Amino acid sequence: MRTDCRSVNSLPNADGGFALIEILVAVSVLAISLVVIFQLFSGGLKSRKLSEQYARGVFHAREKMGETLLTPDLSEDETQGEFDDGYEWQMTITPVPPEEDEEKMSFGLLNIRVRITWHEGGRKKSFMVDTLKVVKKDNNS
């Protein structure tokens, strides 16, 4: 009597290749990985663009703030305008009310606020920069 010596674990007609299910699983894992990588890349590009917009806005705010701080005779005022690249600015100068012990001093404080605004994707984005400037009080005040 002759017995079959094949191993119990071997498959009939197994030639060492990949099964169809293995290939489908590998392609699915690859597809999911690529989608995640492309989303991360896209998010990085959006963040870079937003960062550039804010950097340009900060540049404009510093320009307006520097121009205002160099003005010798500042007074309470509100002005606005637009830069050539579509960014808009609004500046508000308001006096800071003195506290009781500061009323007799020969100087006062002005609060200077610059708001920069721009439009991106149908939405309005903006930020503000504030500073204080020491000014000499008028003799009439």
Side-chain angles (χ1 to χ4, degrees):
M1 179 178 267
R2 216 167 163 196
T3 59
D4 193 5
C5 295
R6 286 190 296 174
S7 169
V8 177
N9 292 335
S10 67
L11 297 174
N13 299 328
D15 59 357
F18 292 106
L20 180 61
I21 191 73
E22 292 172 328
I23 293 173
L24 289 175
V25 169
V27 169
S28 298
V29 169
L30 179 65
I32 292 170
S33 300
L34 287 175
V35 167
V36 170
I37 289 170
F38 286 143
Q39 284 180 343
L40 289 173
F41 184 71
S42 173
L45 289 177
K46 288 178 186 176
S47 295
R48 180 182 162 265
K49 184 176 180 181
L50 184 62
S51 174
E52 286 177 357
Q53 291 172 346
Y54 273 99
R56 183 174 296 224
V58 167
F59 173 77
H60 287 316
R62 289 184 66 180
E63 178 184 1
K64 265 300 161 198
M65 189 66 76
E67 180 182 308
T68 304
L69 290 172
L70 291 175
T71 304
D73 296 323
L74 281 179
S75 59
E76 187 171 0
D77 194 13
E78 187 168 329
T79 56
Q80 61 185 9
E82 189 172 326
F83 294 102
D84 292 337
D85 57 0
Y87 285 72
E88 301 168 357
W89 59 272
Q90 179 182 18
M91 183 170 40
T92 308
I93 303 173
T94 55
V96 177
E99 298 199 10
E100 288 180 25
D101 56 342
E102 298 173 344
E103 287 180 3
K104 295 181 181 178
M105 294 186 170
S106 63
F107 62 88
L109 289 175
L110 291 177
N111 183 24
I112 303 170
R113 174 173 288 163
V114 176
R115 177 187 293 271
I116 303 293
T117 308
W118 69 96
H119 300 278
E120 173 61 33
R123 295 191 316 195
K124 194 174 188 179
K125 299 190 180 212
S126 69
F127 71 94
M128 287 188 312
V129 179
D130 284 70
T131 192
L132 295 173
K133 181 174 182 178
V134 177
V135 293
K136 188 173 182 179
K137 283 186 182 178
D138 291 336
N139 292 336
N140 300 335
S141 304

